[in-house]
Structures are given as structure tokens and as C-alpha cells.
Amino acid sequence: MRLMTGGIAAALVLLLSGCTAPAPVATPVAEPTPEESAPAGPLLCGDLVADVNLAAVMTGSDGVVPDPVRAIRPNDAFDAVELAAAGGLGCSWRVGVAPTTTYAEGDDLAYLSIEVLPGAAAQWQPAWAGDAPSEDTLAVGAIEASTAVGESGWQLTAPVGDAWIAMRLTASGLGTTGSRYDGIAPDEMLSRLGDVAEATFEAVQGATPEQLAWPAATSQRQGDAVCNGGLDPQGIGMALDTTFTETEVYDPTTSAPRSFGEAVAAAARSYSCDYLSDSLRGPHISVVYGAGSFFDLLGQADVSTAFAPLDLSTAAGYADGDVALRAQVTDGPAAPVLMRVGDSVYMIFSKDGATAVAEAVLAQIR
């Protein structure tokens, strides 16, 4: 008699008992981890800095963690339009009560701004400390950033990838009536700014060209900077009941930039005119062509609280779409005017009669 092997016997027992052998269990195969894709479209302000870092850098000497809100410092209104026209990204936040004038006073008021100008790294210059470039630096990761401390606050700037990045923390009352940062060492404030910069630099360094392609002015100035047309001195002089015998033109495209602001102005191809007589230095007018669509930026806080609409609908040359804002200040006619005429944006400063000058510019354009 042949003996059954153990395997055959076990199978026979299962068969006789009405059971079947268990099916073989498949070995699980690990699925590949999905790769994290870069955000679609240009970077946004939220991609440059986390809320927790914003709150940390803007915390005052009382230690109370603030809740920063998006806001443009009123005195930076034209600069915001200029940067957008140049194809850059401007981000800014405020803590404290929103100002109702361009002076932005209040011992609890502070602004943090982060600005990125793509394609400008080769033009980079250090921050300015007073009337000279600063020699102070701060290591932010592998990047050596230029820093400066002054009466208005703290600055940090560096070339990152092919972009020029500028950061600034300003506070009312610094060095005078007192600010929310009294008692905090300057190095501590710069260290906080460096923490914010580290995340910003990483975001810009890791960005694709498409992520640094923000909208820009569709049509910029092509020819020389000339104070004619709407900027002709004759009509502007008549508006102020005087005669201007000379104009000074500042064209930022004619020389290498010495600061971030000059690099932005050159990229936007803006320029300015100053009007002079034998005994008077008159209005100062800046213009950036092709920037009309970016005038809507000025509807944001805090420009919206520090400027008020200026009605030019009865002025000669007015057309639908023209709009103007006048700064709310307490010293009368010196209030600057921001104005969109067609596809161009103007900023007008005049010791007297800024509104009259704005009307003259409008009339001479059309």
C-alpha cells in the first residue's frame, strides 16, 4: 500500500469536508507618492509670506500679537501703480488704526511692504542709509541681503534669482513721538525682517518664469521724456496765474538705477516734470503711460481712507473714465492729486492749487 504524503492528505481532508483552500493573498503594491506641483499662474502675496511671520515681525514692544490687514501706505499710492505698470508685485500690510490723511500718524501704526521686480537682479543696489548706500548686511539663507535702519524704519533688499526684492517696515513716530517698536533693538527688528525674507526668497527662487510674469502696462512711453502736451508749462502756469520759464525733466531710463524705486520707475518708463520761474519752484508732476488699468489699486485701503474723490466732470477735456483723487490733509491746497486720464496715471504736487493744475493738465491733453 502506498502512503499519502502530508500535502495530499490535507487536500483530501478539505475536499471531504466541503471546504476549499484559501486563495493566495496578493502582495500590496505601494502607489507612487504624487509630486507636489507648483501653483498655477503668477505668485500671490500669500505665497511670499505666512500669516504667522507677518504677525511676528509687526508685533510691538507690548508683546501683543497683531492681526495685520492688507493696505497700501497712502504716501506709496503712486509707487504702487508704478510697480504694477513695471510688471512687478507689490504686497503691503498695516497694523494699527487706518489713517485718514496722507500723514499716516498714530503711535500704533506700522506698515510692512514686500516688493518684487522681475528681471532686475543685475541692476541691484544696496539699501540707502540716509544719503549713502548702506554697508550693513544680513545673511538670509545663502543670500547676503543689504539692510538699513533709519528714521522711517527698517529696510532689507537683495537680488534673488533674476528678481530684485525690497522689503520695508515703517512705523509712525520713530525717533520723534514714539512708535509701537520703542524699546526693541534694531538688530532684533532686522532679524524679524530676515525671517520674513527667508520665506519670500525661497518662493521667488523656486518660482517658474510663468509665476514671475505679473501683468504689466500694455503700452509704455516709447519716445523721450518731454514736458509738453498735457504737461505743457503754459497752461499750468496760467492755472496758477504765473509764468514758468523753465522745466526740469527727470527721466529714470537715462542712467543706471541707484535704488529700487529708480529701477521700478525705469521699468515703468515713467518720468516727472518740475516747473520753475525766476522766483518760484512750482508744481511737480509725475506720469506713467499705459498704467490706467492699475489705477483701481488705489481703491484699496488705506488710499481709500486718506484720499477722497475729486470731481473733474465739469473740467474742460473731461471724458468718461477720467477719475481723480485728492489727498485729505489739514494744510489746505497743498493736497496732492492722483489722476487717471485715458490710459495714463498722473501724480500732481503743488504748494497751491493742485486741483487747478489737474484741470489744466486735463484740458491740455484734449
Side-chain angles (χ1 to χ4, degrees):
M1 177 184 290
R2 294 179 60 188
L3 296 176
M4 291 185 291
T5 64
I8 296 174
L12 182 59
V13 171
L14 289 171
L15 180 62
L16 293 174
S17 63
C19 298
T20 59
V25 179
T27 303
V29 178
E31 295 185 4
T33 303
E35 293 185 7
E36 190 172 329
S37 59
L43 293 177
L44 303 175
C45 293
D47 299 318
L48 300 184
V49 58
D51 290 344
V52 63
N53 288 343
L54 273 179
V57 72
M58 303 189 82
T59 297
S61 52
D62 60 5
V64 177
V65 178
D67 185 17
V69 297
R70 288 292 304 275
I72 297 173
R73 194 174 72 146
N75 279 340
D76 295 337
F78 186 78
D79 297 341
V81 173
E82 218 173 24
L83 178 60
L89 175 65
C91 307
S92 57
W93 298 263
R94 167 184 44 83
V95 294
V97 179
T100 55
T101 73
T102 53
Y103 294 123
E105 297 174 332
D107 59 7
D108 197 42
L109 185 63
Y111 290 90
L112 172 69
S113 64
I114 302 175
E115 298 172 311
V116 184
L117 183 62
Q123 299 175 302
W124 179 83
Q125 296 294 316
W128 279 74
D131 57 359
S134 173
E135 297 181 355
D136 297 331
T137 60
L138 178 69
V140 180
I143 296 175
E144 197 79 3
S146 171
T147 62
V149 180
E151 292 181 356
S152 62
W154 301 264
Q155 299 179 63
L156 185 151
T157 180
V160 179
D162 79 335
W164 184 342
I165 296 179
M167 304 177 65
R168 181 179 55 183
L169 177 63
T170 61
S172 296
L174 275 173
T176 54
T177 58
S179 78
R180 65 183 288 110
Y181 302 114
D182 283 356
I184 302 179
D187 286 349
E188 165 63 19
M189 295 303 300
L190 287 175
S191 176
R192 293 184 187 182
L193 206 55
D195 291 340
V196 174
E198 187 168 3
T200 301
F201 290 2
E202 287 179 0
V204 172
Q205 274 188 311
T208 64
E210 293 75 18
Q211 289 178 290
L212 300 179
W214 294 286
T218 54
S219 58
Q220 294 185 334
R221 169 174 63 90
Q222 299 300 315
D224 294 335
V226 183
C227 301
N228 60 8
L231 302 178
D232 191 280
Q234 181 176 355
I236 292 171
M238 291 175 62
L240 298 177
D241 196 24
T242 189
T243 299
F244 292 116
T245 57
E246 183 182 355
T247 57
E248 291 180 351
V249 183
Y250 169 65
D251 182 355
T253 66
T254 59
S255 60
R258 297 170 299 170
S259 66
F260 182 80
E262 289 185 1
V264 170
R269 297 192 63 81
S270 63
Y271 69 98
S272 62
C273 300
D274 286 276
Y275 300 84
L276 299 85
S277 68
D278 295 336
S279 59
L280 174 69
R281 190 170 190 89
H284 172 88
I285 304 177
S286 298
V287 58
V288 54
Y289 295 121
S293 62
F294 299 113
F295 194 85
D296 292 342
L297 288 171
L298 307 185
Q300 301 178 17
D302 288 333
V303 179
S304 60
T305 58
F307 284 76
L310 175 63
D311 184 9
L312 296 178
S313 60
T314 60
Y318 173 83
D320 288 344
D322 295 343
V323 61
L325 301 170
R326 177 172 168 157
Q328 302 191 86
V329 296
T330 56
D331 63 350
V337 169
L338 297 166
M339 179 171 65
R340 178 179 65 198
V341 181
D343 201 28
S344 300
V345 176
Y346 297 80
M347 178 177 65
I348 300 167
F349 281 96
S350 181
K351 293 179 181 178
D352 292 297
T355 298
V357 173
E359 292 175 344
V361 171
L362 186 60
Q364 293 188 132
I365 290 174
R366 300 191 179 101

